[in-house]
Amino acid sequence: MQKKVTIEYWQYEYPAKVTLMDELIKQFQEQNPNITVKQTNFPYDQYNEKVATLVPAGKGPDVINLYYGWLPKYVSSGFLQPLPESAFPAAEIENRYYPLVEAAKIDGSYWAIPTAVRTLALFYNKDLFAKANIVEPPATWEELVKDAVKLTEKDANGQFVVEGFAWEPGAQLHHWYRDGLLLQAGGQDLSEDRRKVLWADTPAGLEAFQYLLDFAIKHKVGTTGIFTDDATAFKTGHAAINIDGSFRLGSLKADAPDLNYDIAPLPSYKSKSAPSSFWANAIPADVTGAKLEAAVKFLQFLTSKEVQEQWVERVGELPAQKEVAAQDKYLKDEKLGPFISQLDYSKAHFFIDETGERTLFVDATNEVRLNNVPVETAFKDLVAKTQKLYDDYWAKADKK
């Protein structure tokens, strides 16, 4: 660019990402001396509020980092513009990126593009496995239950010393249900037009919901809120197994360097399926002219092979492009390999309202656990309330 221009980049406060982004901005500015990038960060729980307040007022960023599950709401609210087809052709995205990235395609256009993606996998404590004489991580639903029971330790008062399976529906387990258990049991998530919730269309939905709940109510191998949360329980050696994402690798390395753990693909049932997700970068609707040109250049830089490699090594998230992730140095890595091996059959749920859908799921599990509501009743109510979220979203979208 011949004219000097300054653009603003927003992401939420996640130390590893903020530090790396500072370094990436320096690299980008060296390559593009007429573009200055200013990074602004907000706490995660304030992020959506800031966007909703400042973007419509024209005080927002020129490039914004957001969770893919927020995209439908951001698009329907008019916060974003589609990525320019000339710079990010849809055919090229679909050829080079993993299929899960199609969750960023709405009404035929891509609205955001990720540097990195995430899958969930099974984290297991090797010392606790050895203590219980278990030599291999569980590979099936049945083995997971059997191992979790064997690994659970309780004191004389029946309180957990070690959770065999960290059970936290509001963390990653609600993702595990939608894009893992449900599909593995033979069910479906949404109709092709993304309008109908199909969980109750086959017995698989209830079977998967019951399987997830049974860890807490039948097998009693873990419960919510104990040892702060599931990630803390695993990090401190109070949980033998946890379902978590590749993004946890960085904090475990920093906070628990002596923890003797390993990673395995998620246990399977009738088929394999793994939840995936991503944070992506988008361009707000009001960015035009020289700022738009600079924003596009910055997005192209953030999705380059070089940046994806720095991201996986510094943050722990997986390369979004197949040719980058498929390198031997990642596939053969004992921690990253199990995550990457699942990318080809992973799926990213199309969220209408990520917070709302998660809350409904957690509420349904609480109804069973705390209020003794029958599992079938809680599941039926969950499906109906989730469907209403979708009906309300599409009714609003169809009016435009």
Short mmCIF file of all heavy atoms in Angstrom, two decimals, residues 1-53:
data_model
loop_
_atom_site.label_atom_id
_atom_site.label_comp_id
_atom_site.label_asym_id
_atom_site.label_seq_id
_atom_site.Cartn_x
_atom_site.Cartn_y
_atom_site.Cartn_z
N MET A 1 0.84 -1.20 0.00
CA MET A 1 0.00 0.00 0.00
C MET A 1 0.88 1.25 0.00
O MET A 1 1.91 1.29 0.66
CB MET A 1 -0.90 0.00 1.25
CG MET A 1 -1.91 -1.12 1.26
SD MET A 1 -3.03 -1.03 2.67
CE MET A 1 -3.93 0.47 2.28
N GLN A 2 0.47 2.28 -0.75
CA GLN A 2 1.28 3.49 -0.84
C GLN A 2 0.94 4.48 0.28
O GLN A 2 1.79 5.26 0.70
CB GLN A 2 1.07 4.15 -2.20
CG GLN A 2 1.59 3.27 -3.35
CD GLN A 2 1.44 3.95 -4.68
OE1 GLN A 2 0.72 4.92 -4.81
NE2 GLN A 2 2.13 3.44 -5.68
N LYS A 3 -0.30 4.45 0.74
CA LYS A 3 -0.73 5.39 1.77
C LYS A 3 -0.68 4.72 3.14
O LYS A 3 -1.07 3.56 3.28
CB LYS A 3 -2.15 5.84 1.46
CG LYS A 3 -2.70 6.89 2.40
CD LYS A 3 -4.12 7.23 1.98
CE LYS A 3 -4.74 8.21 2.96
NZ LYS A 3 -6.15 8.50 2.61
N LYS A 4 -0.18 5.44 4.14
CA LYS A 4 -0.09 4.87 5.48
C LYS A 4 -1.50 4.72 6.07
O LYS A 4 -2.33 5.62 5.93
CB LYS A 4 0.76 5.77 6.40
CG LYS A 4 2.25 5.71 6.08
CD LYS A 4 3.04 6.45 7.13
CE LYS A 4 4.54 6.36 6.86
NZ LYS A 4 5.06 5.00 6.95
N VAL A 5 -1.74 3.59 6.70
CA VAL A 5 -3.05 3.34 7.29
C VAL A 5 -2.88 2.55 8.59
O VAL A 5 -1.96 1.73 8.71
CB VAL A 5 -3.96 2.57 6.30
CG1 VAL A 5 -3.36 1.23 5.94
CG2 VAL A 5 -5.36 2.39 6.84
N THR A 6 -3.73 2.84 9.55
CA THR A 6 -3.72 2.11 10.82
C THR A 6 -5.02 1.34 10.97
O THR A 6 -6.10 1.90 10.74
CB THR A 6 -3.58 3.09 12.01
OG1 THR A 6 -2.32 3.77 11.90
CG2 THR A 6 -3.62 2.35 13.34
N ILE A 7 -4.92 0.05 11.31
CA ILE A 7 -6.12 -0.76 11.55
C ILE A 7 -6.07 -1.30 12.97
O ILE A 7 -5.01 -1.43 13.57
CB ILE A 7 -6.26 -1.91 10.54
CG1 ILE A 7 -5.03 -2.84 10.58
CG2 ILE A 7 -6.47 -1.38 9.13
CD1 ILE A 7 -5.20 -4.10 9.72
N GLU A 8 -7.25 -1.61 13.49
CA GLU A 8 -7.35 -2.12 14.87
C GLU A 8 -7.80 -3.57 14.85
O GLU A 8 -8.71 -3.94 14.10
CB GLU A 8 -8.34 -1.27 15.67
CG GLU A 8 -8.38 -1.61 17.15
CD GLU A 8 -9.03 -0.53 17.99
OE1 GLU A 8 -9.20 0.60 17.48
OE2 GLU A 8 -9.35 -0.81 19.16
N TYR A 9 -7.16 -4.36 15.69
CA TYR A 9 -7.47 -5.79 15.79
C TYR A 9 -7.96 -6.10 17.20
O TYR A 9 -7.32 -5.72 18.18
CB TYR A 9 -6.20 -6.62 15.50
CG TYR A 9 -6.36 -8.11 15.70
CD1 TYR A 9 -7.03 -8.88 14.76
CD2 TYR A 9 -5.83 -8.74 16.81
CE1 TYR A 9 -7.18 -10.24 14.94
CE2 TYR A 9 -5.97 -10.11 16.99
CZ TYR A 9 -6.65 -10.86 16.05
OH TYR A 9 -6.80 -12.21 16.23
N TRP A 10 -9.10 -6.80 17.29
CA TRP A 10 -9.66 -7.16 18.60
C TRP A 10 -9.59 -8.67 18.81
O TRP A 10 -9.93 -9.46 17.91
CB TRP A 10 -11.13 -6.77 18.68
CG TRP A 10 -11.40 -5.33 18.98
CD1 TRP A 10 -10.53 -4.28 18.95
CD2 TRP A 10 -12.69 -4.77 19.29
NE1 TRP A 10 -11.18 -3.11 19.24
CE2 TRP A 10 -12.51 -3.38 19.46
CE3 TRP A 10 -13.96 -5.30 19.46
CZ2 TRP A 10 -13.55 -2.51 19.77
CZ3 TRP A 10 -15.01 -4.45 19.78
CH2 TRP A 10 -14.81 -3.07 19.94
N GLN A 11 -9.18 -9.07 19.99
CA GLN A 11 -9.37 -10.44 20.43
C GLN A 11 -9.54 -10.43 21.94
O GLN A 11 -9.19 -9.46 22.60
CB GLN A 11 -8.24 -11.36 19.98
CG GLN A 11 -6.91 -11.15 20.69
CD GLN A 11 -5.91 -12.27 20.39
OE1 GLN A 11 -6.27 -13.33 19.90
NE2 GLN A 11 -4.65 -12.02 20.68
N TYR A 12 -10.05 -11.52 22.49
CA TYR A 12 -10.24 -11.56 23.94
C TYR A 12 -8.91 -11.86 24.63
O TYR A 12 -7.94 -12.28 24.00
CB TYR A 12 -11.33 -12.56 24.34
CG TYR A 12 -10.91 -14.01 24.34
CD1 TYR A 12 -10.58 -14.67 25.51
CD2 TYR A 12 -10.86 -14.74 23.15
CE1 TYR A 12 -10.20 -16.01 25.52
CE2 TYR A 12 -10.49 -16.08 23.14
CZ TYR A 12 -10.16 -16.70 24.32
OH TYR A 12 -9.79 -18.02 24.32
N GLU A 13 -8.88 -11.60 25.94
CA GLU A 13 -7.63 -11.73 26.70
C GLU A 13 -7.30 -13.20 26.97
O GLU A 13 -7.91 -13.82 27.83
CB GLU A 13 -7.74 -10.96 28.02
CG GLU A 13 -7.76 -9.46 27.84
CD GLU A 13 -7.98 -8.72 29.14
OE1 GLU A 13 -8.23 -9.38 30.17
OE2 GLU A 13 -7.93 -7.48 29.12
N TYR A 14 -6.40 -13.72 26.19
CA TYR A 14 -5.88 -15.09 26.40
C TYR A 14 -4.37 -14.93 26.25
O TYR A 14 -3.87 -14.68 25.15
CB TYR A 14 -6.44 -16.02 25.33
CG TYR A 14 -6.16 -17.48 25.56
CD1 TYR A 14 -7.06 -18.29 26.26
CD2 TYR A 14 -4.99 -18.06 25.08
CE1 TYR A 14 -6.79 -19.64 26.46
CE2 TYR A 14 -4.71 -19.41 25.29
CZ TYR A 14 -5.62 -20.19 25.97
OH TYR A 14 -5.36 -21.52 26.18
N PRO A 15 -3.63 -14.98 27.38
CA PRO A 15 -2.22 -14.56 27.38
C PRO A 15 -1.37 -15.10 26.23
O PRO A 15 -0.64 -14.35 25.59
CB PRO A 15 -1.72 -15.06 28.74
CG PRO A 15 -2.94 -15.02 29.60
CD PRO A 15 -4.08 -15.42 28.71
N ALA A 16 -1.47 -16.40 25.97
CA ALA A 16 -0.62 -16.98 24.91
C ALA A 16 -0.93 -16.37 23.56
O ALA A 16 -0.03 -16.11 22.74
CB ALA A 16 -0.82 -18.49 24.86
N LYS A 17 -2.21 -16.11 23.30
CA LYS A 17 -2.60 -15.53 22.00
C LYS A 17 -2.20 -14.06 21.92
O LYS A 17 -1.74 -13.59 20.87
CB LYS A 17 -4.12 -15.65 21.81
CG LYS A 17 -4.60 -17.06 21.57
CD LYS A 17 -6.09 -17.05 21.27
CE LYS A 17 -6.61 -18.44 20.98
NZ LYS A 17 -8.04 -18.44 20.62
N VAL A 18 -2.39 -13.33 23.01
CA VAL A 18 -2.06 -11.90 23.00
C VAL A 18 -0.57 -11.69 22.77
O VAL A 18 -0.15 -10.86 21.96
CB VAL A 18 -2.50 -11.25 24.33
CG1 VAL A 18 -1.99 -9.81 24.41
CG2 VAL A 18 -4.02 -11.28 24.46
N THR A 19 0.25 -12.48 23.47
CA THR A 19 1.70 -12.36 23.31
C THR A 19 2.14 -12.71 21.90
O THR A 19 2.93 -11.99 21.28
CB THR A 19 2.41 -13.29 24.31
OG1 THR A 19 2.00 -12.94 25.63
CG2 THR A 19 3.92 -13.16 24.20
N LEU A 20 1.61 -13.82 21.38
CA LEU A 20 1.98 -14.22 20.02
C LEU A 20 1.51 -13.18 19.01
O LEU A 20 2.23 -12.85 18.06
CB LEU A 20 1.39 -15.59 19.69
CG LEU A 20 1.63 -16.08 18.26
CD1 LEU A 20 3.12 -16.13 17.93
CD2 LEU A 20 0.99 -17.45 18.05
N MET A 21 0.30 -12.67 19.20
CA MET A 21 -0.21 -11.68 18.25
C MET A 21 0.65 -10.42 18.23
O MET A 21 0.87 -9.83 17.17
CB MET A 21 -1.67 -11.33 18.59
CG MET A 21 -2.34 -10.46 17.55
SD MET A 21 -2.28 -11.13 15.86
CE MET A 21 -3.40 -12.51 16.02
N ASP A 22 1.17 -10.01 19.38
CA ASP A 22 2.09 -8.86 19.40
C ASP A 22 3.29 -9.13 18.48
O ASP A 22 3.73 -8.25 17.74
CB ASP A 22 2.59 -8.60 20.83
CG ASP A 22 1.54 -7.87 21.68
OD1 ASP A 22 0.65 -7.23 21.08
OD2 ASP A 22 1.64 -7.95 22.92
N GLU A 23 3.82 -10.34 18.54
CA GLU A 23 4.97 -10.69 17.70
C GLU A 23 4.58 -10.78 16.22
O GLU A 23 5.32 -10.35 15.34
CB GLU A 23 5.58 -12.00 18.18
CG GLU A 23 6.15 -11.91 19.59
CD GLU A 23 6.68 -13.24 20.09
OE1 GLU A 23 6.95 -14.12 19.25
OE2 GLU A 23 6.80 -13.41 21.32
N LEU A 24 3.40 -11.34 15.97
CA LEU A 24 2.95 -11.46 14.58
C LEU A 24 2.71 -10.09 13.96
O LEU A 24 2.99 -9.88 12.78
CB LEU A 24 1.67 -12.31 14.52
CG LEU A 24 1.83 -13.79 14.87
CD1 LEU A 24 0.46 -14.48 14.92
CD2 LEU A 24 2.73 -14.49 13.87
N ILE A 25 2.19 -9.18 14.76
CA ILE A 25 1.95 -7.82 14.24
C ILE A 25 3.28 -7.18 13.84
O ILE A 25 3.37 -6.52 12.79
CB ILE A 25 1.20 -6.98 15.31
CG1 ILE A 25 -0.25 -7.44 15.40
CG2 ILE A 25 1.28 -5.49 14.96
CD1 ILE A 25 -1.03 -6.82 16.53
N LYS A 26 4.32 -7.39 14.64
CA LYS A 26 5.64 -6.85 14.27
C LYS A 26 6.11 -7.44 12.94
O LYS A 26 6.63 -6.73 12.08
CB LYS A 26 6.66 -7.17 15.37
CG LYS A 26 6.50 -6.33 16.62
CD LYS A 26 7.56 -6.70 17.65
CE LYS A 26 7.35 -5.93 18.95
NZ LYS A 26 8.28 -6.37 20.01
N GLN A 27 5.92 -8.76 12.78
CA GLN A 27 6.33 -9.41 11.53
C GLN A 27 5.54 -8.84 10.35
O GLN A 27 6.10 -8.57 9.28
CB GLN A 27 6.10 -10.92 11.63
CG GLN A 27 6.96 -11.62 12.66
CD GLN A 27 6.55 -13.07 12.87
OE1 GLN A 27 5.97 -13.70 12.00
NE2 GLN A 27 6.84 -13.60 14.04
N PHE A 28 4.24 -8.68 10.55
CA PHE A 28 3.39 -8.16 9.47
C PHE A 28 3.79 -6.74 9.11
O PHE A 28 3.84 -6.39 7.91
CB PHE A 28 1.92 -8.20 9.92
CG PHE A 28 0.97 -7.59 8.93
CD1 PHE A 28 0.64 -8.25 7.75
CD2 PHE A 28 0.40 -6.34 9.17
CE1 PHE A 28 -0.23 -7.68 6.83
CE2 PHE A 28 -0.48 -5.76 8.26
CZ PHE A 28 -0.79 -6.44 7.08
N GLN A 29 4.06 -5.91 10.09
CA GLN A 29 4.41 -4.51 9.83
C GLN A 29 5.76 -4.40 9.12
O GLN A 29 5.96 -3.48 8.32
CB GLN A 29 4.39 -3.71 11.13
CG GLN A 29 2.98 -3.54 11.69
CD GLN A 29 2.94 -2.82 13.02
OE1 GLN A 29 1.90 -2.33 13.42
NE2 GLN A 29 4.06 -2.75 13.71
N GLU A 30 6.67 -5.33 9.41
CA GLU A 30 7.95 -5.33 8.68
C GLU A 30 7.73 -5.64 7.20
O GLU A 30 8.40 -5.09 6.33
CB GLU A 30 8.90 -6.36 9.29
CG GLU A 30 9.46 -5.94 10.65
CD GLU A 30 10.26 -7.04 11.32
OE1 GLU A 30 10.44 -8.12 10.71
OE2 GLU A 30 10.68 -6.83 12.47
N GLN A 31 6.78 -6.52 6.92
CA GLN A 31 6.46 -6.86 5.53
C GLN A 31 5.60 -5.80 4.86
O GLN A 31 5.59 -5.69 3.63
CB GLN A 31 5.73 -8.21 5.48
CG GLN A 31 6.54 -9.38 6.00
CD GLN A 31 5.71 -10.65 6.12
OE1 GLN A 31 4.66 -10.80 5.51
NE2 GLN A 31 6.17 -11.60 6.92
N ASN A 32 4.87 -5.03 5.67
CA ASN A 32 3.94 -4.02 5.14
C ASN A 32 4.16 -2.71 5.91
O ASN A 32 3.35 -2.34 6.78
CB ASN A 32 2.49 -4.49 5.30
CG ASN A 32 2.20 -5.77 4.55
OD1 ASN A 32 1.84 -5.75 3.38
ND2 ASN A 32 2.40 -6.91 5.22
N PRO A 33 5.24 -2.01 5.61
CA PRO A 33 5.62 -0.84 6.41
C PRO A 33 4.61 0.30 6.43
O PRO A 33 4.67 1.15 7.31
CB PRO A 33 6.95 -0.40 5.78
CG PRO A 33 6.98 -1.04 4.43
CD PRO A 33 6.21 -2.28 4.53
N ASN A 34 3.68 0.32 5.49
CA ASN A 34 2.68 1.39 5.49
C ASN A 34 1.41 1.03 6.27
O ASN A 34 0.47 1.81 6.31
CB ASN A 34 2.30 1.77 4.06
CG ASN A 34 3.40 2.59 3.40
OD1 ASN A 34 4.23 3.19 4.09
ND2 ASN A 34 3.43 2.60 2.08
N ILE A 35 1.40 -0.17 6.86
CA ILE A 35 0.22 -0.58 7.65
C ILE A 35 0.63 -0.74 9.11
O ILE A 35 1.58 -1.46 9.43
CB ILE A 35 -0.37 -1.91 7.13
CG1 ILE A 35 -0.76 -1.79 5.66
CG2 ILE A 35 -1.60 -2.29 7.98
CD1 ILE A 35 -1.25 -3.10 5.05
N THR A 36 -0.07 -0.07 10.00
CA THR A 36 0.13 -0.23 11.44
C THR A 36 -1.08 -0.96 12.01
O THR A 36 -2.22 -0.61 11.69
CB THR A 36 0.28 1.15 12.13
OG1 THR A 36 1.41 1.82 11.58
CG2 THR A 36 0.45 0.99 13.63
N VAL A 37 -0.82 -1.96 12.84
CA VAL A 37 -1.90 -2.73 13.45
C VAL A 37 -1.87 -2.50 14.96
O VAL A 37 -0.84 -2.69 15.61
CB VAL A 37 -1.78 -4.24 13.17
CG1 VAL A 37 -2.95 -5.00 13.80
CG2 VAL A 37 -1.72 -4.51 11.67
N LYS A 38 -3.00 -2.08 15.49
CA LYS A 38 -3.13 -1.87 16.94
C LYS A 38 -3.99 -3.00 17.51
O LYS A 38 -5.11 -3.22 17.04
CB LYS A 38 -3.78 -0.52 17.21
CG LYS A 38 -4.03 -0.23 18.68
CD LYS A 38 -4.83 1.06 18.83
CE LYS A 38 -5.24 1.26 20.29
NZ LYS A 38 -6.18 2.40 20.43
N GLN A 39 -3.45 -3.70 18.50
CA GLN A 39 -4.20 -4.80 19.12
C GLN A 39 -4.92 -4.32 20.38
O GLN A 39 -4.32 -3.67 21.24
CB GLN A 39 -3.28 -5.97 19.50
CG GLN A 39 -4.04 -7.12 20.15
CD GLN A 39 -3.19 -8.31 20.56
OE1 GLN A 39 -3.73 -9.36 20.86
NE2 GLN A 39 -1.88 -8.15 20.57
N THR A 40 -6.22 -4.65 20.50
CA THR A 40 -7.00 -4.33 21.69
C THR A 40 -7.61 -5.62 22.22
O THR A 40 -8.12 -6.44 21.44
CB THR A 40 -8.12 -3.33 21.35
OG1 THR A 40 -7.53 -2.12 20.86
CG2 THR A 40 -8.94 -2.99 22.60
N ASN A 41 -7.58 -5.80 23.54
CA ASN A 41 -8.11 -7.03 24.15
C ASN A 41 -9.15 -6.71 25.21
O ASN A 41 -9.08 -5.68 25.86
CB ASN A 41 -6.97 -7.83 24.80
CG ASN A 41 -5.77 -7.96 23.90
OD1 ASN A 41 -4.69 -7.47 24.21
ND2 ASN A 41 -5.96 -8.59 22.75
N PHE A 42 -10.11 -7.62 25.34
CA PHE A 42 -11.13 -7.50 26.37
C PHE A 42 -11.25 -8.84 27.10
O PHE A 42 -11.00 -9.89 26.49
CB PHE A 42 -12.50 -7.17 25.76
CG PHE A 42 -12.53 -5.88 24.99
CD1 PHE A 42 -12.54 -5.88 23.61
CD2 PHE A 42 -12.53 -4.66 25.65
CE1 PHE A 42 -12.56 -4.70 22.89
CE2 PHE A 42 -12.56 -3.47 24.95
CZ PHE A 42 -12.57 -3.49 23.57
N PRO A 43 -11.67 -8.82 28.37
CA PRO A 43 -11.95 -10.09 29.05
C PRO A 43 -13.01 -10.87 28.29
O PRO A 43 -13.93 -10.27 27.69
CB PRO A 43 -12.48 -9.64 30.43
CG PRO A 43 -11.92 -8.27 30.62
CD PRO A 43 -11.87 -7.66 29.25
N TYR A 44 -12.90 -12.17 28.31
CA TYR A 44 -13.81 -13.04 27.54
C TYR A 44 -15.28 -12.73 27.83
O TYR A 44 -16.10 -12.61 26.93
CB TYR A 44 -13.51 -14.50 27.88
CG TYR A 44 -14.39 -15.49 27.17
CD1 TYR A 44 -14.11 -15.91 25.88
CD2 TYR A 44 -15.52 -16.01 27.80
CE1 TYR A 44 -14.92 -16.82 25.23
CE2 TYR A 44 -16.34 -16.92 27.15
CZ TYR A 44 -16.03 -17.32 25.87
OH TYR A 44 -16.84 -18.22 25.22
N ASP A 45 -15.62 -12.56 29.14
CA ASP A 45 -17.02 -12.38 29.49
C ASP A 45 -17.56 -10.99 29.12
O ASP A 45 -18.74 -10.73 29.26
CB ASP A 45 -17.28 -12.69 30.96
CG ASP A 45 -16.40 -11.87 31.88
OD1 ASP A 45 -15.62 -11.04 31.38
OD2 ASP A 45 -16.49 -12.05 33.11
N GLN A 46 -16.69 -10.08 28.68
CA GLN A 46 -17.16 -8.75 28.25
C GLN A 46 -17.12 -8.59 26.73
O GLN A 46 -17.54 -7.56 26.21
CB GLN A 46 -16.27 -7.67 28.89
CG GLN A 46 -16.32 -7.60 30.39
CD GLN A 46 -15.34 -6.55 30.93
OE1 GLN A 46 -14.86 -5.69 30.21
NE2 GLN A 46 -15.05 -6.64 32.20
N TYR A 47 -16.59 -9.61 26.07
CA TYR A 47 -16.28 -9.45 24.64
C TYR A 47 -17.52 -9.16 23.80
O TYR A 47 -17.56 -8.18 23.04
CB TYR A 47 -15.57 -10.72 24.16
CG TYR A 47 -14.77 -10.53 22.90
CD1 TYR A 47 -13.61 -9.76 22.90
CD2 TYR A 47 -15.15 -11.12 21.70
CE1 TYR A 47 -12.86 -9.60 21.74
CE2 TYR A 47 -14.41 -10.96 20.55
CZ TYR A 47 -13.26 -10.20 20.57
OH TYR A 47 -12.52 -10.04 19.43
N ASN A 48 -18.53 -10.01 23.92
CA ASN A 48 -19.73 -9.82 23.11
C ASN A 48 -20.43 -8.50 23.42
O ASN A 48 -20.99 -7.85 22.53
CB ASN A 48 -20.70 -10.99 23.31
CG ASN A 48 -20.31 -12.19 22.48
OD1 ASN A 48 -19.94 -12.06 21.33
ND2 ASN A 48 -20.34 -13.37 23.09
N GLU A 49 -20.40 -8.11 24.68
CA GLU A 49 -21.02 -6.84 25.07
C GLU A 49 -20.32 -5.67 24.39
O GLU A 49 -20.96 -4.74 23.90
CB GLU A 49 -20.95 -6.70 26.60
CG GLU A 49 -21.60 -5.45 27.13
CD GLU A 49 -21.41 -5.30 28.65
OE1 GLU A 49 -21.04 -6.30 29.31
OE2 GLU A 49 -21.60 -4.20 29.13
N LYS A 50 -18.98 -5.71 24.37
CA LYS A 50 -18.21 -4.64 23.72
C LYS A 50 -18.53 -4.57 22.24
O LYS A 50 -18.70 -3.50 21.66
CB LYS A 50 -16.71 -4.88 23.92
CG LYS A 50 -16.24 -4.75 25.37
CD LYS A 50 -16.22 -3.31 25.81
CE LYS A 50 -15.62 -3.18 27.20
NZ LYS A 50 -15.71 -1.78 27.71
N VAL A 51 -18.59 -5.75 21.61
CA VAL A 51 -18.89 -5.80 20.18
C VAL A 51 -20.28 -5.21 19.91
O VAL A 51 -20.47 -4.36 19.03
CB VAL A 51 -18.81 -7.24 19.66
CG1 VAL A 51 -19.34 -7.32 18.22
CG2 VAL A 51 -17.38 -7.74 19.71
N ALA A 52 -21.27 -5.65 20.70
CA ALA A 52 -22.65 -5.19 20.49
C ALA A 52 -22.80 -3.70 20.71
O ALA A 52 -23.65 -3.05 20.09
CB ALA A 52 -23.58 -5.97 21.41
N THR A 53 -21.96 -3.14 21.57
CA THR A 53 -22.05 -1.71 21.88
C THR A 53 -21.26 -0.86 20.90
O THR A 53 -21.77 0.15 20.38
CB THR A 53 -21.53 -1.44 23.31
OG1 THR A 53 -22.27 -2.24 24.23
CG2 THR A 53 -21.67 0.03 23.67
#
